[in-house]
């Protein structure tokens, strides 16, 4: 519509000033050409006659918004929502206004109400500010939740082998709890962080839980899904809440599995949200605003080379331990644990252990499962169950390829060509590439 049309509507209103349909048409035309202030004047005139007309109020809010008069628009839209809290158009406008006022937390709350009303609603501009793609919904936490907070019954005696790793954890974590006065005399705090790295399936999670059991403390296992949230800022809140829960339950072992997914190198990130989460993580580890005394933080990763270097500074994960596949003696112990309670002939654990070099703990469990499945298949044919023998397990070992092989191919390259600080020397020693 052109200016002539607007002039005609104005002329018509001179003769019929109470004609609300004409005035609504004029306001709409003014809005369409960007004359928002003039349109607002007309909408106000209409509202004098019909003060609770939600359609007119919504159009006027839109004019305020487009004219950049955000504070006034918020007052009007809040009044509109008080009249009808499920008006999706009003809620969307309110979300936009809150974003402009930099009230992101409130904007998320309002936008979530929009999505409850219309789960398929999409607005690219709002989503770009408020949502993080490829994430998960917000978890709920409870100190009383036995799944979230547990007191493990297993101890180091339940962990086959890993004597050197146990020794380092004993020095870093267990000894300070047993001898707090001695550590206090030297100004050493009880707590801190240990990063466990190595190929998958070698018992990092099991070891962390056994550590909590060893000191009779509470244990919180944290995965990436417990933290990441689709809404901006909520991931940081979730992480803070987890640390606060640990602080309320001292002594407590706080275990982060796949920590590289949460603490990937900031230089490799494109989204600022990921960098903010890492900064929050570092702040929680430092205990800048809270006391971390008695919080024992364990992190596990299969890819330490992806972890931001800031995590390895003193006071954070300042002890980094390589959890290698179990050695010969450890493999014997692990096989005994997995075969305990099974019907067995006399087993040559020594020959079995030597036959599964580079096998992880998970691989050894898989071998036992394969052997049992073979015996079950045999028993279904004969109708007579028979005990597992050494040869049965050796056959299972030949069927299973160790899962650590692929990991060591990648780890070897990092250890050889990206190891200026000597961080991966343990890998080289394990591969007999360094004395």
């Amino acid at each position: 519509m052109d200016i002539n049309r607007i002039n005609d509507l104005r002329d018509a209103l001179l003769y019929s000033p109470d004609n609300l349909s004409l005035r609504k048409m004029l306001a709409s035309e003014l809005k369409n050409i960007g004359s928002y202030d003039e349109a607002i004047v007309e909408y106000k005139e209409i509202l004098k006659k019909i003060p609770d007309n939600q359609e007119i109020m919504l159009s006027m809010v839109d004019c305020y918004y487009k004219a950049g008069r955000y504070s006034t628009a918020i007052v009007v839209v809040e009044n509109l929502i008080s009249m009808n809290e499920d008006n999706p158009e009003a809620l969307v406008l309110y979300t936009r206004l809150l974003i402009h006022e930099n009230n992101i937390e409130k904007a998320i709350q309002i936008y979530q109400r929009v999505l409850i009303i219309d789960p398929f609603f999409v607005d690219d501009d709002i989503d770009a500010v408020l949502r993080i793609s490829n994430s998960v919904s917000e978890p709920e936490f409870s100190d009383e939740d036995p799944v979230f907070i547990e007191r493990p019954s297993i101890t180091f005696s339940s962990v086959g082998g890993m004597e050197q790793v146990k020794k380092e954890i004993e020095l870093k974590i267990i000894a300070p709890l047993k001898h707090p006065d001695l550590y206090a005399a030297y100004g050493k705090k009880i707590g801190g962080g240990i990063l466990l790295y190595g190929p998958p399936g070698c018992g990092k999670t099991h070891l962390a839980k056994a550590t909590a059991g060893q000191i009779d403390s509470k244990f919180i296992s944290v995965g990436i899904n417990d933290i990441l949230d689709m809404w901006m800022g909520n991931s940081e809140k979730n992480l803070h809440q987890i640390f606060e829960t640990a602080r309320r339950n001292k002594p407590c072992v706080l275990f982060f599995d796949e920590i590289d997914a949460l603490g990937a190198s900031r230089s490799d990130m494109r989204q600022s949200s990921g960098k903010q989460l890492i900064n929050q993580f570092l702040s929680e580890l430092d205990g800048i605003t809270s006391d971390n005394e008695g919080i024992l933080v364990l992190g596990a990763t299969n890819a330490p080379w992806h972890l931001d270097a800031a995590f390895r500074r003193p006071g954070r994960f300042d002890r980094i331990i390589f959890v290698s596949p179990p050695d010969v003696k450890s493999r014997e112990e692990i096989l005994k644990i997995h075969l305990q309670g099974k019907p067995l002939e006399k087993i040559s654990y020594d020959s079995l252990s030597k036959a599964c070099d580079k096998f992880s703990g998970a691989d050894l469990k898989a071998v036992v499962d394969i052997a049992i499945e073979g015996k079950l298949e045999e028993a279904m044919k004969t109708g007579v169950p028979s005990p597992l023998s050494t040869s049965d397990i050796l056959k299972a070992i030949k069927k299973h390829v160790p899962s650590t092989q692929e990991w060591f191919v990648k780890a070897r390259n990092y250890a050889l060509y990206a190891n200026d600080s000597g961080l991966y020397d343990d890998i080289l020693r394990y591969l007999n590439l360094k004395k």
Side-chain angles (χ1 to χ4, degrees):
M1 300 295 177
D2 54 22
I3 298 298
N4 291 333
R5 170 68 169 166
I6 292 173
N7 290 334
D8 289 342
L9 288 169
R10 289 190 191 277
D11 290 340
L13 279 169
L14 290 174
Y15 294 98
S16 183
D18 294 328
N19 189 322
L20 298 184
S21 295
L22 282 176
R23 198 169 293 278
K24 182 180 176 181
M25 290 173 63
L26 174 59
S28 179
E29 296 299 332
L30 290 168
K31 180 182 174 183
N32 288 340
I33 66 170
S35 296
Y36 302 118
D37 289 335
E38 291 184 85
I40 289 168
V41 170
E42 302 302 331
Y43 284 130
K44 284 182 177 180
E45 288 297 320
I46 297 172
L47 289 171
K48 288 178 183 179
K49 304 290 185 181
I50 44 174
D52 293 332
N53 188 293
Q54 295 183 32
E55 180 187 355
I56 298 302
M57 290 178 70
L58 186 63
S59 295
M60 188 169 70
V61 170
D62 194 32
C63 285
Y64 278 124
Y65 169 69
K66 290 176 178 175
R69 297 165 65 179
Y70 304 126
S71 298
T72 306
I74 285 177
V75 172
V76 179
V77 80
E78 286 177 345
N79 183 35
L80 177 57
I81 291 170
S82 70
M83 297 163 56
N84 179 8
E85 62 181 18
D86 291 329
N87 185 328
E89 292 177 306
L91 291 170
V92 169
L93 260 176
Y94 194 19
T95 301
R96 293 182 185 280
L97 288 162
L98 290 167
I99 290 172
H100 279 283
E101 294 290 288
N102 203 31
N103 191 345
I104 301 301
E105 184 174 355
K106 185 67 178 290
I108 289 172
Q109 293 175 5
I110 300 302
Y111 194 42
Q112 286 174 332
R113 286 169 59 182
V114 175
L115 297 178
I116 290 172
I117 297 168
D118 181 4
F120 300 102
F121 179 83
V122 174
D123 186 294
D124 292 339
D125 292 334
I126 294 177
D127 289 344
V129 178
L130 300 186
R131 292 219 241 187
I132 303 172
S133 61
N134 299 323
S135 192
V136 295
S137 58
E138 183 177 2
E140 295 181 357
F141 303 106
S142 169
D143 288 354
E144 302 302 320
D145 186 352
V147 177
F148 183 55
I149 301 178
E150 57 182 306
R151 193 181 290 274
S153 58
I154 64 171
T155 63
F156 281 172
S157 62
S158 307
V159 179
M162 297 191 185
E163 298 307 321
Q164 182 58 35
V165 178
K166 292 177 188 175
K167 183 178 178 180
E168 292 203 47
I169 293 176
E170 176 82 31
L171 180 66
K172 174 76 176 180
I173 290 178
I174 299 172
L177 288 171
K178 290 181 177 178
H179 309 285
D181 295 339
L182 286 176
Y183 277 73
Y186 287 95
K188 292 283 288 182
K189 291 185 176 181
I190 300 174
I194 289 180
L195 180 66
L196 306 173
Y197 81 93
C202 288
K204 296 184 286 293
T205 303
H206 188 61
L207 181 62
K209 188 173 289 190
T211 299
Q214 190 77 9
I215 59 177
D216 193 29
S217 79
K218 291 185 178 179
F219 179 77
I220 300 176
S221 179
V222 185
I224 187 170
N225 289 341
D226 297 315
I227 295 177
L228 293 190
D229 191 284
M230 69 186 296
W231 301 107
M232 290 289 289
N234 276 8
S235 297
E236 292 89 327
K237 289 181 183 178
N238 291 341
L239 182 62
H240 176 69
Q241 190 170 357
I242 288 170
F243 269 90
E244 284 297 296
T245 302
R247 290 169 186 134
R248 291 193 299 270
N249 289 275
K250 299 176 183 178
C252 184
V253 173
L254 189 52
F255 175 65
F256 289 91
D257 199 9
E258 297 180 350
I259 195 171
D260 51 290
L262 297 171
S265 177
R266 285 170 289 185
S267 62
D268 296 334
M269 290 185 175
R270 295 181 180 178
Q271 286 190 331
S272 62
S273 56
K275 296 178 182 178
Q276 291 169 3
L277 180 58
I278 291 177
N279 291 336
Q280 180 70 34
F281 203 158
L282 296 174
S283 175
E284 297 294 343
L285 288 171
D286 292 339
I288 293 174
T289 59
S290 304
D291 181 15
N292 282 347
E293 181 87 6
I295 302 297
L296 316 169
V297 185
L298 293 178
T301 177
N302 301 330
W305 36 82
H306 292 156
L307 193 67
D308 194 286
F311 281 90
R312 299 196 295 270
R313 290 178 187 168
R316 295 168 181 170
F317 291 103
D318 47 10
R319 188 68 62 88
I320 299 173
I321 301 175
F322 174 52
V323 181
S324 67
D327 57 21
V328 173
K329 183 178 178 182
S330 299
R331 293 197 293 270
E332 281 190 36
E333 293 182 26
I334 293 169
L335 283 169
K336 287 177 182 177
I337 290 171
H338 289 311
L339 288 169
Q340 189 174 5
K342 310 289 191 301
L344 303 172
E345 292 182 0
K346 186 176 181 180
I347 299 294
S348 174
Y349 287 101
D350 179 64
S351 60
L352 290 177
S353 178
K354 290 176 181 177
C356 48
D357 186 39
K358 299 291 192 301
F359 278 47
S360 68
D363 289 327
L364 295 174
K365 183 179 185 305
V367 164
V368 172
D369 289 341
I370 292 169
I372 290 173
E373 288 169 6
K375 298 302 286 186
L376 285 171
E377 185 178 352
E378 181 183 306
M380 283 188 282
K381 292 178 180 177
T382 63
V384 181
S386 59
L388 285 164
S389 66
T390 300
S391 61
D392 291 327
I393 301 171
L394 284 171
K395 289 178 184 176
I397 289 171
K398 292 178 181 178
K399 292 179 180 178
H400 187 77
V401 178
S403 60
T404 62
Q405 285 185 357
E406 184 178 346
W407 186 88
F408 273 110
V409 170
K410 183 179 291 187
R412 181 181 181 275
N413 292 333
Y414 278 99
L416 286 173
Y417 307 115
N419 190 30
D420 294 338
S421 63
L423 180 64
Y424 307 126
D425 283 354
D426 285 339
I427 295 174
L428 296 177
R429 278 189 282 269
Y430 182 82
L431 295 173
N432 295 318
L433 297 175
K434 185 182 179 74
K435 293 183 180 180

